[in-house]
Coordinates of all heavy atoms in Angstrom, one line a residue:
L23 N 0.8 -1.2 0.0 CA 0.0 0.0 0.0 C 0.9 1.2 0.0 O 2.0 1.2 0.5 CB -0.9 0.1 1.2 CG -2.1 -0.9 1.3 CD1 -2.7 -0.8 2.7 CD2 -3.1 -0.6 0.2
R24 N 0.3 2.3 -0.5 CA 1.0 3.6 -0.4 C 0.1 4.6 0.3 O -1.0 4.9 -0.2 CB 1.4 4.2 -1.8 CG 2.3 5.4 -1.7 CD 2.5 6.0 -3.0 NE 3.6 7.0 -2.9 CZ 3.9 7.9 -3.9 NH1 3.1 8.0 -5.0 NH2 4.9 8.7 -3.8
L25 N 0.4 5.0 1.5 CA -0.3 5.9 2.3 C 0.1 7.3 2.0 O 1.3 7.6 1.8 CB -0.2 5.6 3.8 CG -0.5 4.2 4.2 CD1 -0.4 4.2 5.8 CD2 -1.8 3.7 3.8
S26 N -0.8 8.2 1.9 CA -0.5 9.6 1.7 C -1.1 10.5 2.9 O -2.1 10.1 3.5 CB -1.2 10.1 0.4 OG -0.6 9.4 -0.7
C27 N -0.4 11.6 3.1 CA -0.8 12.5 4.2 C -0.8 13.9 3.6 O 0.3 14.4 3.3 CB 0.0 12.4 5.4 SG -0.3 13.6 6.7
A28 N -1.9 14.5 3.4 CA -2.0 15.9 2.8 C -2.1 16.9 3.9 O -2.9 16.8 4.8 CB -3.1 16.0 1.9
A29 N -1.2 17.9 3.9 CA -1.2 18.9 5.0 C -1.7 20.3 4.4 O -1.5 20.6 3.3 CB 0.2 19.1 5.5
S30 N -2.3 21.0 5.3 CA -2.7 22.4 5.0 C -2.4 23.2 6.3 O -2.3 22.7 7.4 CB -4.1 22.5 4.6 OG -5.0 22.0 5.7
G31 N -2.3 24.5 6.1 CA -2.1 25.4 7.2 C -0.7 26.0 7.1 O -0.3 26.5 6.1
R32 N 0.1 26.0 8.2 CA 1.4 26.5 8.3 C 2.3 25.8 7.3 O 2.1 24.7 6.9 CB 2.0 26.5 9.7 CG 1.2 27.3 10.7 CD 1.8 27.2 12.1 NE 3.1 27.8 12.1 CZ 3.9 27.9 13.2 NH1 3.5 27.3 14.3 NH2 5.1 28.4 13.1
P33 N 3.5 26.5 7.0 CA 4.4 25.9 6.0 C 4.8 24.5 6.3 O 5.3 24.2 7.4 CB 5.6 26.9 6.0 CG 5.0 28.2 6.4 CD 3.9 27.9 7.4
F34 N 4.4 23.6 5.4 CA 4.6 22.2 5.6 C 6.1 21.8 5.9 O 6.4 20.9 6.7 CB 4.1 21.5 4.4 CG 4.3 20.0 4.4 CD1 3.6 19.2 5.3 CD2 5.2 19.4 3.5 CE1 3.7 17.8 5.3 CE2 5.4 18.0 3.5 CZ 4.6 17.2 4.4
S35 N 7.0 22.4 5.2 CA 8.4 22.1 5.2 C 9.0 22.4 6.6 O 10.1 21.9 6.8 CB 9.2 22.7 4.1 OG 9.1 24.1 4.3
R36 N 8.4 23.1 7.4 CA 8.9 23.4 8.7 C 8.8 22.3 9.8 O 9.4 22.4 10.8 CB 8.3 24.7 9.3 CG 8.6 25.9 8.5 CD 7.9 27.1 9.2 NE 8.3 28.4 8.5 CZ 9.3 29.1 8.9 NH1 10.1 28.8 9.9 NH2 9.5 30.3 8.2
Y37 N 8.0 21.3 9.4 CA 7.7 20.2 10.4 C 8.5 18.9 10.1 O 8.7 18.5 9.0 CB 6.2 19.9 10.4 CG 5.4 21.1 10.9 CD1 4.9 22.1 10.1 CD2 5.1 21.2 12.3 CE1 4.2 23.1 10.6 CE2 4.3 22.2 12.8 CZ 3.9 23.2 11.9 OH 3.1 24.2 12.4
V38 N 8.9 18.3 11.2 CA 9.2 16.9 11.1 C 7.9 16.1 11.0 O 7.0 16.4 11.8 CB 10.0 16.5 12.4 CG1 10.3 15.0 12.3 CG2 11.3 17.2 12.4
M39 N 7.9 15.2 10.1 CA 6.7 14.4 9.9 C 6.9 12.9 10.4 O 8.0 12.4 10.2 CB 6.2 14.4 8.5 CG 6.0 15.8 8.0 SD 4.7 16.7 8.8 CE 3.3 15.7 8.4
G40 N 5.9 12.3 10.9 CA 6.0 10.9 11.3 C 4.7 10.1 10.9 O 3.6 10.7 10.8
W41 N 4.9 8.9 10.7 CA 3.9 7.9 10.6 C 3.9 7.0 11.9 O 4.9 6.5 12.3 CB 4.0 7.0 9.4 CG 3.6 7.7 8.1 CD1 4.5 8.3 7.2 CD2 2.3 7.9 7.6 NE1 3.8 8.8 6.2 CE2 2.4 8.6 6.4 CE3 1.0 7.5 8.0 CZ2 1.3 8.9 5.6 CZ3 -0.1 7.8 7.2 CH2 0.1 8.5 6.0
F42 N 2.7 6.8 12.4 CA 2.5 6.0 13.6 C 1.4 5.0 13.3 O 0.6 5.2 12.4 CB 2.1 6.8 14.8 CG 3.2 7.8 15.3 CD1 3.4 8.9 14.6 CD2 4.0 7.4 16.4 CE1 4.4 9.8 15.1 CE2 5.0 8.3 16.8 CZ 5.2 9.5 16.2
R43 N 1.3 3.9 14.1 CA 0.2 3.0 13.9 C -0.2 2.5 15.3 O 0.5 2.5 16.2 CB 0.6 1.8 13.0 CG 1.7 0.9 13.6 CD 2.1 -0.1 12.5 NE 3.2 -1.0 13.0 CZ 3.9 -1.8 12.3 NH1 3.7 -1.8 11.0 NH2 4.9 -2.5 12.8
Q44 N -1.5 2.2 15.3 CA -2.1 1.7 16.6 C -3.0 0.5 16.2 O -4.0 0.7 15.6 CB -2.8 2.8 17.3 CG -3.3 2.4 18.7 CD -3.8 3.5 19.5 OE1 -4.1 4.6 19.0 NE2 -3.7 3.4 20.8
A45 N -2.6 -0.7 16.7 CA -3.5 -1.8 16.6 C -4.4 -1.9 17.7 O -4.2 -1.3 18.8 CB -2.6 -3.1 16.5
P46 N -5.5 -2.6 17.6 CA -6.5 -2.8 18.7 C -5.9 -3.3 19.9 O -5.2 -4.3 19.9 CB -7.5 -3.8 18.1 CG -7.5 -3.6 16.6 CD -6.0 -3.3 16.4
G47 N -6.1 -2.6 21.0 CA -5.6 -3.0 22.3 C -4.1 -2.7 22.5 O -3.6 -3.1 23.6
K48 N -3.5 -2.0 21.6 CA -2.0 -1.8 21.7 C -1.8 -0.3 21.8 O -2.6 0.5 21.4 CB -1.3 -2.4 20.4 CG -1.5 -3.8 20.2 CD -0.9 -4.7 21.3 CE -1.0 -6.1 21.0 NZ -0.5 -7.0 22.1
E49 N -0.6 0.0 22.2 CA -0.1 1.4 22.3 C 0.2 1.9 20.9 O 0.6 1.1 20.0 CB 1.1 1.6 23.2 CG 0.8 1.2 24.6 CD -0.1 2.2 25.3 OE1 0.0 3.4 25.0 OE2 -1.0 1.8 26.1
R50 N 0.0 3.2 20.7 CA 0.5 3.8 19.4 C 2.0 3.8 19.3 O 2.7 4.1 20.3 CB -0.1 5.2 19.3 CG 0.1 5.9 18.0 CD -0.7 7.2 17.9 NE -2.1 7.0 18.1 CZ -3.0 7.9 17.9 NH1 -2.6 9.2 17.6 NH2 -4.3 7.7 18.1
E51 N 2.5 3.4 18.2 CA 3.9 3.2 18.0 C 4.4 3.9 16.8 O 3.7 4.0 15.8 CB 4.3 1.7 18.0 CG 3.8 1.0 16.8 CD 4.2 -0.5 16.8 OE1 5.0 -0.9 17.7 OE2 3.8 -1.2 15.9
V52 N 5.7 4.3 16.8 CA 6.2 5.0 15.7 C 6.6 4.0 14.6 O 7.0 2.9 14.9 CB 7.5 5.8 16.1 CG1 8.6 4.9 16.5 CG2 8.0 6.7 14.9
V53 N 6.3 4.4 13.4 CA 6.7 3.5 12.2 C 7.9 4.1 11.5 O 8.9 3.5 11.2 CB 5.5 3.4 11.2 CG1 5.9 2.7 10.0 CG2 4.3 2.7 11.9
A54 N 7.8 5.4 11.2 CA 8.9 6.1 10.5 C 8.7 7.6 10.7 O 7.6 8.1 10.9 CB 8.8 5.8 9.0
T55 N 9.8 8.3 10.6 CA 9.8 9.8 10.7 C 10.8 10.3 9.6 O 11.7 9.6 9.1 CB 10.3 10.3 12.0 OG1 11.7 10.1 12.2 CG2 9.4 9.8 13.1
I56 N 10.5 11.6 9.2 CA 11.3 12.2 8.2 C 11.5 13.7 8.6 O 10.5 14.4 9.0 CB 10.7 12.0 6.8 CG1 11.7 12.6 5.7 CG2 9.3 12.7 6.7 CD1 11.2 12.1 4.3
N57 N 12.7 14.2 8.4 CA 12.9 15.6 8.8 C 12.5 16.6 7.7 O 11.9 16.2 6.7 CB 14.4 15.8 9.1 CG 15.3 16.0 7.9 OD1 15.0 15.5 6.8 ND2 16.4 16.7 8.1
W58 N 12.7 17.9 8.0 CA 12.1 18.9 7.1 C 12.6 18.8 5.7 O 11.8 19.2 4.8 CB 12.4 20.3 7.7 CG 13.9 20.6 7.7 CD1 14.8 20.4 8.6 CD2 14.6 21.3 6.6 NE1 16.0 20.8 8.3 CE2 15.9 21.4 7.0 CE3 14.2 21.8 5.4 CZ2 16.9 22.0 6.2 CZ3 15.1 22.4 4.6 CH2 16.5 22.5 5.0
S59 N 13.8 18.4 5.5 CA 14.3 18.4 4.1 C 14.2 17.0 3.5 O 14.4 16.9 2.2 CB 15.8 18.7 4.2 OG 16.6 17.7 4.8
G60 N 13.9 16.0 4.2 CA 13.8 14.7 3.7 C 15.1 13.9 3.8 O 15.2 12.8 3.4
A61 N 16.2 14.6 4.2 CA 17.5 14.0 4.2 C 17.7 13.0 5.3 O 18.6 12.1 5.2 CB 18.6 15.1 4.4
T62 N 17.0 13.1 6.4 CA 17.1 12.2 7.5 C 15.8 11.5 7.8 O 14.7 12.1 7.9 CB 17.5 13.0 8.8 OG1 18.7 13.7 8.6 CG2 17.7 12.0 10.0

């Protein structure tokens, strides 16, 4: 699958972005993060 996240509001590039997931009965956990430039 390819998930997309569309942002609006303040300048998007200023934020570190992350994907998290939460299964039933489980804690929310980090999947991946990416810095403002995409380099990290």
Side-chain angles (χ1 to χ4, degrees):
L23 286 173
R24 190 187 193 195
L25 307 184
S26 297
C27 173
S30 62
R32 296 183 64 184
F34 175 72
S35 63
R36 292 181 177 269
Y37 293 90
V38 175
M39 303 298 296
W41 284 98
F42 296 77
R43 66 188 178 192
Q44 187 167 23
K48 303 294 184 181
E49 296 292 323
R50 191 169 299 186
E51 63 178 0
V52 65
V53 175
T55 67
I56 187 166
N57 79 333
W58 67 271
S59 69
T62 303

